[in-house]
Amino acid sequence: MDLVSLERIEAAAKLVGPVVRRTPVVSSRVLSERTGSEVRLKCENLQRTGSFKPRGAYNRIGNLPEADRTRGVVAASAGNHAQGVAWAASSLGIDSTVFMPIGASLPKLAATKAYGATVHQVGHTIDEALTAAMEFAAQTGATLIHPFDHPDIVAGQATVALEILDQFPDVGTVVVPTGGGGLLAGIAVALHHLAPRVRVIGVQAADAAAWPGSLAVGKPVPLDRMATMADGIAVGLPGVVPFAHVTAHSPTIVTVDEDALSRALLLCLERAKLLVEPAGAAAVAALMTCLPADLDLRGPVCAVLSGGNIDPILLTRVVGHGLSAAGRYLALRVTISDRPGSLGTLLSEVGRTGASVLDVVHSRTGAWLEVDEVEVALTLETRGPTHREDVLTALRDADYAVRVQD
């Protein structure tokens, strides 16, 4: 396979540059302090449609011959790619059809339609939607726009690296959220041509990490199962085209767990004032939690925030998960005697610890309870891991039977 050349990346930049946003690169003091390196964030969550995807989609569609344009384009996606294709096609005056799973989030579904695509909901997985899209392409002659497995997609995503080098010339390490590999491959190949000194690190969700096993055997290998909140990088099989570029330029791949993803989203929201989806926060999660030896950061660091499209319902859940993971949200169950004043005494004890009570549920049912006992479910706001442990210690020292809820 011929790898994407610098000339092809420069042509992509010329094509997409006038229509996509030149997203900002902003400093992060908290991450700089944690890593001991200067850290800046490349805010692709502020890109058109809320992710980096329009870069590759516009480059791919914009390079189609006129005869192919008249037959339209088709794609399969649960969110960011769908919006990128819909926007790019509409911008170029081309009809687009997008197949989305039945469970796709309502905001992403509505946004894809608003960008001009005809949307069909088919199946319950991306694979089922992709099968339907391929059948549609075969029947109508529409061009299938793959989310990552095409050289034009890789070249389009590579324009992120061109901007980083222009905005942050001293960058020594770039950390990239990684799913199918289009963004990772694009950034790796662009830096190989223009700044080979720069270290590239791809970040995957630990429970949806197809790259480590695939790299180990030298070819894309599908995962048996995936389970992660980071749906934007939940891809069970790396693309053939990205795989060829990644293996040629050897970036490091690391993984992060769900706690790290939710904490990273919360940090972006609180400290950087940036709304980022779980997949988009993967690079931040790696900088927060991975061992220095695994990252081997070289020089100033740029973490790519790849997207900011998150369902408000999921955002509420993830923020709660992040607060709990950061030791600032404590859910517990306490057994007390069923006597007047017992609940008040418990809450007074909690008050003395300085924790804030968010929710109280008082229950007399439960096979584990004695006749004269009740269970109180408490949700508390704490000031961090140390305070969280202080609260638990205080309650146990007061002879309360406490069970922490995960």
Side-chain angles (χ1 to χ4, degrees), residues 39-294:
V39 177
R40 300 186 191 179
L41 308 174
K42 176 61 171 171
C43 302
E44 284 295 288
N45 58 310
L46 302 179
Q47 184 54 261
R48 294 186 184 278
T49 79
S51 85
F52 71 96
K53 289 292 188 177
R55 296 176 182 270
Y58 194 94
N59 190 53
R60 173 80 172 97
I61 298 171
N63 280 307
L64 290 176
E66 188 60 36
D68 290 342
R69 292 188 181 204
T70 60
R71 291 189 289 270
V73 297
V74 60
S77 168
N80 289 345
H81 180 59
Q83 294 172 71
V85 168
W87 172 82
S90 294
S91 300
L92 290 163
I94 298 172
D95 291 336
S96 64
T97 302
V98 176
F99 289 82
M100 303 180 75
I102 292 172
S105 75
L106 293 179
K108 291 180 179 180
L109 181 67
T112 303
K113 292 179 180 178
Y115 287 124
T118 299
V119 177
H120 301 285
Q121 290 187 270
V122 176
H124 296 279
T125 67
I126 291 295
D127 288 340
E128 291 175 314
L130 181 58
T131 297
M134 293 170 68
E135 292 173 351
F136 180 89
Q139 293 167 3
T140 65
T143 300
L144 179 68
I145 307 300
H146 198 280
F148 47 82
D149 210 8
H150 192 279
D152 281 339
I153 296 292
V154 171
Q157 316 308 23
T159 61
V160 174
L162 301 189
E163 291 183 14
I164 291 173
L165 288 175
D166 188 52
Q167 296 167 301
F168 194 9
D170 296 333
V171 65
T173 302
V174 178
V175 191
V176 190
T178 302
L183 180 60
L184 176 67
I187 288 176
V189 70
L191 293 176
H192 168 76
H193 288 302
L194 296 171
R197 61 180 170 77
V198 179
R199 176 168 166 75
V200 180
I201 302 172
V203 186
Q204 291 216 280
D207 293 330
W211 278 92
S214 296
L215 290 171
V217 299
K219 64 179 181 180
V221 176
L223 290 177
D224 293 331
R225 59 179 298 276
M226 297 184 294
T228 178
M229 69 178 78
D231 59 344
I233 53 174
V235 178
L237 180 67
V240 174
V241 173
F243 192 84
H245 289 77
V246 169
T247 52
H249 303 305
S250 303
T252 297
I253 304 292
V254 299
T255 62
V256 292
D257 62 22
E258 300 298 286
D259 281 356
L261 289 168
S262 59
R263 289 171 57 197
L265 185 152
L266 187 62
L267 182 140
C268 290
L269 193 61
E270 284 192 316
R271 301 299 297 272
K273 315 307 176 189
L274 293 167
L275 181 61
V276 184
E277 63 190 272
V284 172
L287 294 176
M288 290 174 64
T289 63
C290 289
L291 296 174
D294 292 334

Side-chain angles (χ1 to χ4, degrees), residues 306-326:
S306 59
N309 293 315
I310 183 169
D311 188 306
I313 295 174
L314 177 60
L315 176 62
T316 301
R317 289 166 48 200
V318 173
V319 168
H321 190 270
L323 287 169
S324 180

